[in-house]
Amino acid sequence: MDLISLLLPILLAAAGVLLAGAGYFLLYRWNVNRALAAPDRRRLRLPAPCRVLAALAAALVLASLALVIAQLSGPARLTDAGGIERDVRQSQNVGSDWTVEIGLDGRAAAVLAYDPRKEEHVFSVYVNDGGTRPDYVFRYGGKSTSIQRGIRAFELEGATALISMNALGIAAVESHGGARYEVAPNRPFAIVIPGGGYDLYDSAGDLIDPARSGWYERTQVR
Amino acid sequence: MKVKLSVSRAREQEVRAALAAHGIQVDEDADLVLSERDRSADCLMVRDRETRELVRLPAEEIVSVESFGHTVEVYARDGVYRSGERLYRLEALLGPERFLRVSNSAIVARDKIRRISPALSMKFTLTMADGRRVDVTRSYYYIFRERLGI
């Protein structure tokens, strides 16, 4: 639960209540003194300011309670790697002895969980739906032969998630924008790199063509 | 026997004469009061607070009447006076058309209220023509609103 997203609307509403109360008080005072100046004219009968303020305060309390209950009862937001790992382990029944690799940036999260013998895996791809405030939402998941035997790329706007059990022995990924990501050549990985294309290299620095393995899959993420 | 008169000016002479014919004296300090029904007093007999002089104070000059313990003070435009009457008696004498009870200890002249300042709670503060401030208490809040039509 994001404390700021909870407190900010309540504080704004409280400020609004105070302003409304002050405005009503001025209106009430004006109305009362008009009655003094022109006693024979029909007058709008306004309730006492304390009653109006009490009603506004009660409405504010009820609205705040409703907001808190809605926040507490709603699904938890996934905002960091820890939260994503917990979600993966719980939702995909990942064993406690499995390793979870997570690659995270502001746009997406790539997750690969695998058993100690690297014979089984599950993957997940989350997309950040929260804008400036992280809120990763699950988009893809399960098992993939491409991931087990080659590499699978999930392409979204401005980023690419690369997930692989690293049967190809990839040691580095270099985006066409110039960013370089080192990975252990004998270890599965899940990373998120800037969009716009990339190259794969082995530990000797030679270029790897993932298509030659026959297990290279690209998925457009909407 | 002595009585105090509370009658209109038009009938005062007639009543005085009638009482004198029966040997009854008219005295402002008498315990017995002869009053005219359904009539508001045109004036009050009060004593100047400083000089203790007995004064006939016209009702239209009264701004407010306040009681402090056993003392009742009458505030007029030109000074402060004291009355020997109880506040509830003065309220009846002066009449509800022109004077309003605003608390257990104050009566104000309706036409001498210059400004009403409401509070957040159910109270008003009245600024009177002589600059003094008088509070309308919670007990009289709705009565005051009803009387002023607000």
Side-chain angles (χ1 to χ4, degrees):
Chain A
M1 181 177 64
D2 188 347
L3 193 62
I4 293 175
S5 68
L6 189 62
L7 284 180
L8 191 59
I10 293 174
L11 289 174
L12 287 174
V17 163
L18 285 175
L19 276 175
Y24 179 80
F25 182 79
L26 292 175
L27 174 66
Y28 182 79
R29 187 174 70 176
W30 173 80
N31 186 56
V32 160
N33 283 282
R34 272 190 72 192
L36 197 60
D40 296 329
R41 291 179 66 175
R42 284 180 64 93
R43 191 70 46 217
L44 187 65
R45 294 220 172 183
L46 299 175
C50 59
R51 291 185 177 229
V52 171
L53 204 57
L56 288 174
L60 177 65
V61 168
L62 285 174
S64 301
L65 278 175
L67 182 65
V68 168
I69 289 169
Q71 285 277 4
L72 288 176
S73 60
R77 295 161 63 100
L78 299 177
T79 58
D80 56 16
I84 291 171
E85 181 175 345
R86 279 191 295 274
D87 187 64
V88 167
R89 286 188 180 275
Q90 185 179 0
S91 60
Q92 302 216 45
N93 294 318
V94 170
S96 57
D97 59 342
W98 283 37
T99 302
V100 177
E101 303 283 346
I102 299 177
L104 194 74
D105 82 347
R107 289 155 296 193
V111 186
L112 178 64
Y114 54 90
D115 70 318
R117 292 192 295 180
K118 301 176 193 171
E119 292 174 355
E120 296 282 339
H121 76 275
V122 290
F123 79 94
S124 299
V125 175
Y126 294 77
V127 175
N128 183 11
D129 252 3
T132 54
R133 291 183 297 126
D135 183 15
Y136 291 94
V137 178
F138 175 82
R139 285 295 176 87
Y140 290 95
K143 298 178 183 179
S144 169
T145 307
S146 300
I147 289 175
Q148 190 72 40
R149 299 187 182 184
I151 186 168
R152 188 166 175 182
F154 295 87
E155 297 171 352
L156 52 151
E157 191 175 338
T160 301
L162 295 172
I163 304 176
S164 173
M165 290 296 284
N166 212 358
L168 300 178
I170 299 166
V173 177
E174 197 169 285
S175 73
H176 290 173
R180 186 176 174 87
Y181 303 82
E182 305 283 345
V183 295
N186 57 346
R187 191 177 164 132
F189 64 88
I191 60 174
V192 179
I193 66 173
Y198 52 90
D199 294 311
L200 307 174
Y201 297 90
D202 60 16
S203 53
D206 296 326
L207 198 64
I208 298 174
D209 181 5
R212 287 184 65 183
S213 70
W215 295 106
Y216 176 48
E217 189 175 350
R218 295 168 64 187
T219 303
Q220 291 291 329
V221 178
R222 307 251 176 252
Chain B
M1 185 183 203
K2 295 181 181 179
V3 298
K4 178 180 175 181
L5 280 188
S6 177
V7 298
S8 61
R9 286 187 182 180
R11 298 191 65 180
E12 186 178 354
Q13 285 299 110
E14 171 196 353
V15 173
R16 278 181 180 269
L19 290 173
H22 287 82
I24 300 172
Q25 295 179 29
V26 174
D27 186 344
E28 289 299 326
D29 294 325
D31 296 332
L32 297 174
V33 180
L34 182 65
S35 61
E36 186 173 348
R37 185 188 294 180
D38 295 333
R39 178 202 152 263
S40 301
D42 298 326
C43 60
L44 291 182
M45 295 305 296
V46 294
R47 290 189 183 274
D48 188 288
R49 191 170 66 174
E50 305 298 328
T51 65
R52 307 282 300 158
E53 181 187 346
L54 197 61
V55 174
R56 197 185 190 91
L57 184 64
E60 59 264 21
E61 291 187 15
I62 298 173
V63 176
S64 62
V65 181
E66 294 187 51
S67 72
F68 303 95
H70 296 292
T71 305
V72 176
E73 294 195 341
V74 180
Y75 295 87
R77 287 182 180 278
D78 60 352
V80 183
Y81 305 88
R82 285 199 176 159
S83 171
E85 299 284 356
R86 304 286 290 275
L87 194 66
Y88 75 91
R89 277 281 300 154
L90 291 174
E91 182 185 4
L93 277 172
L94 293 171
E97 305 82 25
R98 296 178 297 173
F99 289 83
L100 304 174
R101 187 77 177 263
V102 295
S103 70
N104 289 338
S105 59
I107 300 169
V108 300
R110 185 171 178 161
D111 62 342
K112 302 294 190 300
I113 302 172
R114 287 296 166 259
R115 187 167 68 245
I116 302 173
S117 301
L120 275 180
S121 58
M122 292 195 290
K123 285 178 63 175
F124 292 113
T125 298
L126 309 179
T127 303
M128 306 304 296
D130 59 355
R132 294 187 65 252
R133 292 187 176 188
V134 181
D135 287 338
V136 180
T137 60
R138 283 175 68 101
S139 304
Y140 290 86
Y141 177 82
Y142 285 110
I143 297 170
F144 182 81
R145 285 188 63 179
E146 192 66 38
R147 294 288 302 280
L148 258 66
I150 55 175

